[in-house]
Amino acid sequence: MIIGSHVSFGKNGLLGSVNEALEYGANTFMFYTGAPQNTLRKPIDMKNTQKAWEVMQENNMDIKNIICHAPYIVNLANNLDEKKYDFSIHFLIEEIKRCEMMNISYMVLHPGSSVGIKKEEALDNIVYALNEILKQDKTVTILLETMAGKGTELGSTIEEIKYIIKHIEKKELIGVCLDTCHLNDAGYDMTNFDKYLCLFDREIGLSYIHCIHINDSKNDFSSHKDRHANIGYGTLGFDTILKIVTNPQLATIPKILETPYIGNTDTDKERIYPPYKFEIAMLKNKEFNPDMMRHIRSYYQKSAK
Ligand code: FE
Ligand code: FE
Ligand code: ZN
């Protein structure tokens, strides 16, 4: 099973990400090249990157399974503010160059939100922008993430994703990243995941899937909300998620957790702990741990002493 979580990049660059992933017992990971909510980026430190590659090799982590996520404020769907639209295109061209420098093959992207323009126009804006970005790209595949359909978000239906892919010139550099929380919130039944894959295969093709975000959902089926829950603590439940991560059709696809950190309820409320070490263990052991929250708190409180 190729499984990991999103990890930070921060001041240490890729090496920090690798080390964090190893702490969680992961064999892959996903990172943002800076803060996900802004587009301020530092140049890639190649010395640090080189060291990261070495540590990955020593630990049997395949660089092909490592995923970069574009910042979520970039919106390729709306061009009412032409400057902003151009900035988004140029930012992603630079982001791809950063991925290339680190030998990263996949970048996940939220397709965008139409905000104030027609859906059809917005989809064509995404297509135009992606074709511009991919013109200069040779090695990085952009993965369109399946969205929950919150607000005017695009990419929450198979039809929208299909439309975008259909109009991309360099098909070899476009793909899809599924997100189990988003799919549930968008109205695709995750308790019948094979049915979804069958539909996806017929409309788009399974070979386009290169990543899957594994999240439970805090909201009901078809709620169009997008709030992630810890594995087994939401609407999907542990058994549904376990079936998805062990699905033989996705055996070689990296699985990335984006579940929320755990709050420390007893002492200082500011401290929060990453759940990934424990969620990865549960999925590897194929067994739900109803006491997970308590185990996470005691593990991190002990290691803080
Ligand atoms: Fe995302
Ligand atoms: Fe996601
Ligand atoms: Zn989400």
Side-chain angles (χ1 to χ4, degrees), residues 76-140:
L76 300 181
N78 188 289
N79 63 350
L80 288 178
D81 183 338
E82 229 175 287
K83 258 195 186 152
K84 244 170 119 180
Y85 183 64
D86 281 345
F87 175 83
S88 295
I89 293 174
H90 287 106
F91 176 85
L92 289 177
I93 290 172
E94 291 303 311
E95 190 79 338
I96 287 202
K97 284 184 194 155
R98 284 188 281 270
C99 286
E100 282 179 340
M101 287 175 77
M102 294 182 280
N103 286 346
I104 299 297
S105 307
Y106 297 109
M107 184 180 78
V108 172
L109 175 74
H110 295 179
S113 296
S114 57
V115 275
I117 63 169
K118 275 203 207 110
K119 198 175 98 176
E120 292 72 20
E121 259 175 72
L123 285 170
D124 286 333
N125 287 336
I126 296 170
V127 167
Y128 174 83
L130 285 173
N131 279 327
E132 282 299 301
I133 294 160
L134 293 177
K135 257 181 205 166
Q136 310 180 39
D137 176 10
K138 287 186 187 72
T139 59
V140 181

Side-chain angles (χ1 to χ4, degrees), residues 47-75:
K47 236 177 114 184
N48 175 297
T49 303
Q50 204 92 43
K51 185 79 187 129
W53 290 338
E54 282 169 33
V55 176
M56 286 172 64
Q57 213 158 28
E58 285 160 17
N59 290 280
N60 291 317
M61 270 186 181
D62 190 345
I63 188 99
K64 283 198 183 66
N65 295 326
I66 311 301
I67 314 283
C68 175
H69 196 310
Y72 44 70
I73 54 146
V74 166
N75 185 8

Side-chain angles (χ1 to χ4, degrees), residues 32 69 108 110 145 179 182 213 258:
Y32 291 82
H69 196 310
V108 172
H110 295 179
E145 182 164 350
D179 184 310
H182 298 174
H213 290 167
E258 301 174 298

